[in-house]
């Protein structure tokens, strides 16, 4: 303890001259001037700020009332520079409706601990005994260096922890230990998958239809409110991610779209993981001003932040400072400055508070000090960073635990939880039929605009079919052409199926969109699969009929319309099976490289077992015949196409003898002599297409259900500890 005190005193003495207002007064704004006894005020950026109490008033109603109400926090006059026009502030379009007021919801967490499963046991404490709260109409930020537990704490409060995590402690919403129902809260992840080929308005409209019950026309007003709330009016009709030669939205506006997607539900509580992710300083300030105005509707806003500028820091109402899972401070932003000063680490006047906080508690700075210990700055030494970070963390943690700020947090949590307020209710979901229709129509719209993913694939199919057709053209209908025609059909089915792997990026994108929407319960596995199937049928049928026509007439197959239609149907079912196989592999790996490598391996093995290189009856029994030759969709497609071409055909041998097509083909490929055998092969292909999609449903549903059950288990443990 003496070592901690000595190093703390050394750091205080080295920085006191730089942080004393009397010793150093800047000639411009944006410095922190603290008035004694005014720790409840927002940070001021004025040289002579006007102080007034704007803290949220939390009270428990008397006289029969049982709800916990919180007045929304008004913007302090000390932030007049942000609202007077000297700094840009998003404005609503003329004639736009004022944002609708949202009933507030208070959130409190007590003794919250999260552990992540290691190799042997649950030993890695990511969050350790955290206490805190968030009030309606306020912004609560969870701040800390990388790997400090910010996102884990945010996910724990929102009930979004991964399966490998265990959570202990209590979480209260409006004073009650409960799970937040669907529609009562929104969660914006660090990486939200957006659909680049849709405009902002289209994307939000489809999201609203997926989330909300009711008729389609009723969602337009909700979408417009979300667009206005996030100041996206100028970008509403622009494509999100760019299309052809059109430029997409900047990263700041894309982040706004991700937040607006959650606002269409009008949530009581909004969780955002790193709202300033990949944003420059101006975009970050505009984002935070927009979110600050959002809190004026009554929404409770909780988000994480890695670092912020001075202007952004002044917009926060409360800050939760973490380091290695430990809470170093929770309270109002100005009180955090005072807390660091009391612990012996005052913030220098010309330094951003968030930079100062992270400098003091980020262990990575120890490496910087070690690297720079022989360097000299303009003053001759590197004295500004000469303190061990572990000492600072221990000092700040010990100071906070014994401070009035920690006691005030416990008192506020007690007040927020001593009486239950109104329970949050689910707003209802869209029906599965509605979701299937929306997903199908949205996918069709995406297909019509995504040239490189869909139309380019169609062109590649046509080119490949043209190459195969020209190589095997002019075969004739003699007995000697049977073996070559078998080779042509085998090459056609195998190579076009192999070319389908080019659609892996499309399926990967669809899986990511589904995962992003399913995590917030905007979609489900059944609706996704039906929507994907119905939307892919027109595209696959277009490929099958165009490729079949080119191949059929170049090879010179039998000139009958019914036989041509069977050829098209057979090839369509083959593509449908292959699409299901790719979807299953992509759902399993969720990685493009691994999916492509797996699919290439599967296709090569199935091609070897398809009965062309060696007749299926002569394949080695244990592996190649059973099960590979029976699970290879190539086998049934090729067999059906050959039966369609050769059953009922006779070849003349000399003047008086003839041989049937079945006997002529029997030595080159195994087919059935029955006339309806080709339809049985189509039926097998149909059942395989259904089977692969059932497998995909099981994979998607199992992962989703596993996450939901674990979250419910965590919540159940919280309730049992009451």
């Amino acid at each position: 303890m003496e070592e901690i005190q000595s190093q703390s005193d050394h750091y205080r003495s080295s920085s006191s001259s730089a942080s004393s207002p009397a010793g150093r007064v800047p000639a411009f704004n944006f410095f922190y001037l603290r008035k004694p006894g005014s720790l409840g005020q927002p940070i001021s950026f004025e040289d002579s700020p006007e102080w007034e109490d704007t803290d949220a008033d939390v009270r428990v109603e008397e006289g029969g009332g049982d709800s916990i109400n919180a007045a929304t926090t008004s913007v302090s006059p000390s932030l007049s520079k942000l609202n007077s026009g000297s700094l840009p502030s998003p404005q609503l379009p003329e004639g736009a409706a004022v944002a609708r007021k949202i009933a507030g919801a208070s959130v409190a967490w007590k003794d919250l601990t999260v552990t992540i499963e290691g190799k042997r046991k649950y030993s890695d404490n990511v969050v350790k005994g955290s206490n805190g709260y968030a009030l309606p109409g306020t912004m609560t930020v969870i701040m800390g260096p990388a790997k400090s537990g910010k996102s884990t704490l945010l996910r724990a409060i929102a009930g979004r922890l991964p399966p490998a995590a265990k959570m202990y402690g209590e979480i209260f919403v409006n004073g009650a230990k409960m799970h937040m129902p669907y529609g009562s809260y929104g969660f914006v992840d660090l990486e939200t998958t957006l659909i680049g080929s849709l405009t902002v308005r289209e994307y939000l409209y489809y999201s609203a239809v997926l989330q909300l019950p009711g008729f389609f026309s009723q969602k337009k007003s909700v979408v417009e409110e979300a667009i206005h709330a996030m100041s996206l009016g100028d970008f509403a009709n622009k494509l999100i991610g760019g299309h052809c030669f059109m430029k997409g939205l900047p990263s700041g506006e894309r982040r706004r779209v991700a937040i607006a997607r959650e606002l269409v539900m009008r949530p009581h509580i909004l969780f955002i993981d790193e709202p300033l992710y990949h944003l420059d300083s101006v975009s970050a300030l505009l984002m935070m001003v927009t979110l600050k105005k959002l809190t004026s509707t009554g929404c409770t806003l909780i988000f994480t932040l890695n670092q912020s500028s001075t202007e952004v820091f002044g917009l926060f109402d409360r800050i939760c400072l973490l380091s290695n899972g430990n809470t170093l401070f929770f309270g109002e932003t100005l009180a955090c400055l005072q807390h660091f000063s009391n612990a012996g680490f005052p913030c220098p006047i010309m330094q951003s508070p968030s930079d100062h906080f992270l400098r003091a508690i980020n262990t990575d700075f120890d490496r910087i000090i070690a690297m720079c210990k022989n360097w000299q700055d303009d003053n001759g030494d590197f004295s500004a960073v000469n303190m061990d970070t572990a000492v600072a963390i221990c000092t700040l943690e010990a100071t906070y635990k014994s401070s009035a700020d920690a006691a005030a947090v416990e008192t506020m949590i007690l007040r927020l939880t001593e009486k239950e307020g109104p329970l949050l209710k689910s707003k209802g979901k869209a029906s599965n039929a509605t979701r299937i229709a929306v997903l199908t129509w949205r996918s069709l719209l995406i297909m019509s605009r995504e040239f490189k993913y869909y139309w380019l694939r169609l062109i590649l199919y046509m080119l490949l079919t043209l190459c195969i057709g020209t190589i095997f053209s002019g075969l004739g209908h003699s007995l000697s052409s049977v073996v070559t025609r078998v080779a042509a059909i085998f090459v056609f089915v195998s190579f076009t199926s192999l070319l389908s792997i080019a659609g892996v990026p499309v399926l990967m994108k669809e899986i990511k969109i589904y995962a992003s929407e399913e995590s917030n319960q905007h979609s489900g596995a059944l609706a996704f699969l039906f929507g994907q199937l119905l939307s892919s049928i027109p595209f696959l049928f277009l490929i099958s009929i165009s490729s079949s026509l080119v191949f059929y007439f170049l090879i010179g197959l039998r000139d009958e319309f019914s036989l041509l239609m069977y050829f098209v149907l057979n090839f369509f079912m083959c593509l449908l099976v292959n699409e299901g196989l790719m979807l299953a592999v992509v759902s399993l790996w969720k990685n493009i490289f691994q999916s492509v490598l797996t699919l290439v391996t599967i296709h090569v093995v199935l091609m070897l077992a398809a009965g062309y290189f060696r007749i299926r009856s002569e394949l080695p029994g244990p592996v190649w015949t059973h099960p590979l030759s029976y699970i290879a969709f190539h086998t049934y497609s090729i067999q059906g196409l050959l039966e369609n071409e050769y059953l009922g055909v006779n070849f003349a041998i000399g003047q008086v003898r003839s041989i049937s097509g079945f006997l002529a083909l029997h030595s080159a490929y195994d087919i059935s002599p029955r006339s309806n055998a080709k339809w049985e092969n189509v039926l097998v292909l149909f059942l395989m297409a259904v089977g692969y999609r059932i497998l995909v449903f099981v994979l998607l549903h199992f992962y989703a259900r596993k996450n939901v059950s674990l979250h419910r288990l965590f919540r159940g443990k919280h309730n049992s500890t009451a």
Side-chain angles (χ1 to χ4, degrees), residues 17-35:
S17 60
S19 60
S20 174
R24 188 175 181 183
V25 179
F28 48 87
N29 297 329
F30 302 105
F31 73 97
Y32 294 89
L33 182 61
R34 294 191 288 272
K35 181 178 179 180

Side-chain angles (χ1 to χ4, degrees), residues 4 54 75 105 116 174 176 294 389 423 555 587 602 655 706:
I4 294 177
T54 60
V75 180
I116 301 296
N174 278 350
L294 178 62
T389 305
L423 298 179
I555 297 299
S587 301
I602 291 176
Q655 298 292 331
K706 183 178 179 181

Side-chain angles (χ1 to χ4, degrees), residues 477-700:
H477 295 278
S478 63
L479 182 63
S480 60
S481 66
V482 172
V483 176
T484 308
R485 187 170 277 111
V486 172
I489 292 177
F490 170 80
V491 171
F492 172 73
V493 172
S494 300
F495 281 37
T496 51
S497 300
L498 192 62
L499 184 61
S500 298
I501 299 178
V504 167
V506 181
L507 298 180
M508 184 67 64
K509 188 176 180 181
E510 291 182 355
I511 290 292
K512 288 183 177 179
I513 294 173
Y514 160 76
S516 177
E517 293 177 341
E518 191 276 334
S519 63
N520 287 347
Q521 304 179 42
H522 299 168
S523 181
L526 185 64
F528 165 74
L529 282 177
F530 271 100
Q532 195 277 337
L533 174 63
L534 294 176
S535 62
S536 64
I537 285 177
F539 176 68
L540 295 180
F541 186 77
L542 181 60
I543 289 179
S544 62
I545 194 170
S546 59
S547 301
S548 298
L549 288 175
V550 173
F551 178 81
Y552 200 90
F553 291 107
L554 284 178
I555 297 299
L557 300 180
R558 293 168 62 186
D559 191 10
E560 293 184 23
F561 182 76
S562 60
L563 300 181
L564 173 61
M565 288 298 99
Y566 176 86
F567 193 100
V568 173
L569 178 62
N570 183 294
F571 185 51
F572 169 74
M573 296 305 303
C574 180
L575 293 178
L576 203 61
V577 174
N578 193 30
E579 191 89 356
L581 173 62
M582 293 194 301
L583 197 59
V585 173
V586 170
S587 301
L588 183 64
W589 287 120
K590 296 182 175 64
N591 178 274
I592 291 182
F593 175 76
Q594 294 176 342
S595 299
V596 170
L597 188 63
T598 303
L599 285 169
V600 169
T601 304
I602 291 176
H603 273 272
V604 170
V605 172
L606 296 184
M607 287 164 60
L608 293 175
Y612 170 73
F613 297 103
R614 191 173 183 184
I615 297 177
R616 186 165 66 171
S617 59
E618 299 179 0
L619 287 172
V623 176
W624 292 103
T625 302
H626 304 90
L628 288 180
S629 66
Y630 285 92
I631 64 175
F633 63 90
H634 306 71
T635 303
Y636 304 100
S637 179
I638 297 171
Q639 185 173 334
L641 294 178
L642 292 176
E643 290 167 347
N644 182 62
E645 177 67 18
Y646 286 106
L647 288 184
V649 176
N650 293 315
F651 295 96
I653 302 177
Q655 298 292 331
V656 294
R657 295 184 57 192
S658 65
I659 184 174
S660 66
F662 169 76
L663 294 177
L665 189 63
H666 188 64
S667 61
Y669 202 89
D670 280 338
I671 63 172
S672 174
R674 291 179 285 110
S675 60
N676 62 343
K678 65 179 184 179
W679 297 108
E680 294 177 359
N681 286 308
V682 171
L683 178 61
V684 172
L685 289 174
F686 174 77
L687 294 177
M688 292 182 73
V690 174
Y692 277 124
R693 280 162 176 80
I694 293 177
L695 176 61
V696 174
F697 175 79
V698 171
L699 291 174
L700 297 178

